Amino acid sequence: MGGRLQGKRALVTGSTSNIGRAIAEAFSAEGAHVIVSGRSAERGGVVVDGIRARSGRADFVKADLDGSAEASYALAREAMSVLGGGIDILVNNAGIYPGDSTADTDEKTFDQVYAVNVKAPFFLTAAIAPAMVEAGGGAIINLGSWITRLGVPVGALYSSTKGAVETLTRAWAAEFGPRGVRVNAISPGVILEPTPGVAHPGEVMMNGTPAGGMGEPQAVAHAAVYLASEEAAFVHGIVLDVDGGRTTTAVIAA
């Protein structure tokens, strides 16, 4: 176990699987007391049990971040209570991804995706950032996406929500940074736990990149540990690409 986040208290939304789970596990391995949060108590319990089995500190707080201010404020209150009064690190990771085309997206889906992906982290940050300021500082990490800058023919709704999150990152860095709260974002590429012998449709999206394939959740978790730690004390308002070079580099096959 490392110590880069020793004594820190962290809340990671959507941390019962994939990227969120990897971040929660990495934070705990670096000494943080982590609140694992999501809709499934069963999956959350598995993550918490795994962290505790490795001598880490973790608790589960169930939350359905539906975009209502009350749901976000309720999660903030319960997480702070379980952690003993404060949160030092917030990771806004929870999100949903409908892959419909623009013409096939109905209004209900549109409103739901914006509620979960934009409104929920907005009000959660509104609930937690001022408390961080009062406590003397903190770190907020938002999850963006590579498709906010490199358009793909599906997922226009999702990519627009992540564009909003990346814009909020810069605005919040300006708002809260001078008062001691660093706000940054991570923009992952196609990230999935590998399944031996099973091809994933997302694999093709990473063709022509320096990495040459999909990334694993731990790659994003390493970046999150950096942004949450004192090593990033002079880092404000950035979007850190962890995408195998997808948005910056094209590899030309010989």
Side-chain angles (χ1 to χ4, degrees):
M1 182 177 291
R4 296 158 76 189
L5 302 178
Q6 193 66 44
K8 299 296 185 182
R9 299 161 296 182
L11 167 61
V12 184
T13 68
S15 47
T16 61
S17 64
N18 204 32
I19 290 174
R21 175 174 182 167
I23 292 173
E25 291 171 344
F27 279 7
S28 69
E30 292 292 341
H33 182 180
V34 181
I35 295 296
V36 174
S37 181
R39 289 176 293 180
S40 170
E42 180 180 358
R43 292 197 302 173
V46 170
V47 178
V48 167
D49 288 346
I51 288 173
R52 291 177 178 175
R54 295 185 291 273
S55 301
R57 297 184 67 196
D59 292 280
F60 176 74
V61 174
K62 186 175 182 178
D64 183 2
L65 294 175
D66 60 5
S68 67
E70 180 50 36
S72 291
Y73 276 89
L75 173 57
R77 287 193 300 269
E78 187 168 355
M80 288 181 187
S81 176
V82 173
L83 290 170
I87 294 171
D88 304 299
I89 305 163
L90 167 63
V91 180
N92 285 311
N93 169 71
I96 54 176
Y97 179 90
D100 294 337
S101 69
T102 299
D104 290 330
T105 300
D106 58 31
E107 185 176 8
K108 181 180 179 181
T109 300
F110 184 99
D111 291 342
Q112 180 187 23
V113 177
Y114 262 86
V116 175
N117 292 6
V118 182
K119 284 184 68 180
F122 183 93
F123 286 112
L124 191 57
T125 298
I128 292 173
M132 287 180 171
V133 170
E134 284 188 24
I140 297 173
I141 302 167
N142 299 319
L143 270 292
S145 174
W146 64 281
I147 60 173
T148 64
R149 278 165 291 140
L150 184 64
V152 297
V154 292
L157 175 58
Y158 174 83
S159 65
S160 71
T161 66
K162 289 303 182 178
V165 167
E166 293 188 6
T167 297
L168 285 170
T169 297
R170 292 182 284 271
W172 286 337
E175 182 177 357
F176 299 114
R179 293 184 283 166
V181 179
R182 293 185 301 102
V183 186
N184 294 288
I186 299 171
S187 176
V190 181
I191 304 287
L192 285 171
E193 289 281 5
T195 303
V198 178
H200 189 276
E203 193 78 49
V204 70
M205 292 186 176
M206 295 301 290
N207 288 344
T209 66
M214 297 188 301
E216 296 186 14
Q218 289 73 21
V220 181
H222 293 319
V225 168
Y226 164 68
L227 289 175
S229 74
E230 288 304 310
E231 295 169 7
F234 201 56
V235 180
H236 292 260
I238 71 160
V239 177
L240 178 57
D241 293 327
V242 184
D243 64 1
R246 176 72 285 170
T247 57
T248 59
T249 309
V251 175
I252 308 301

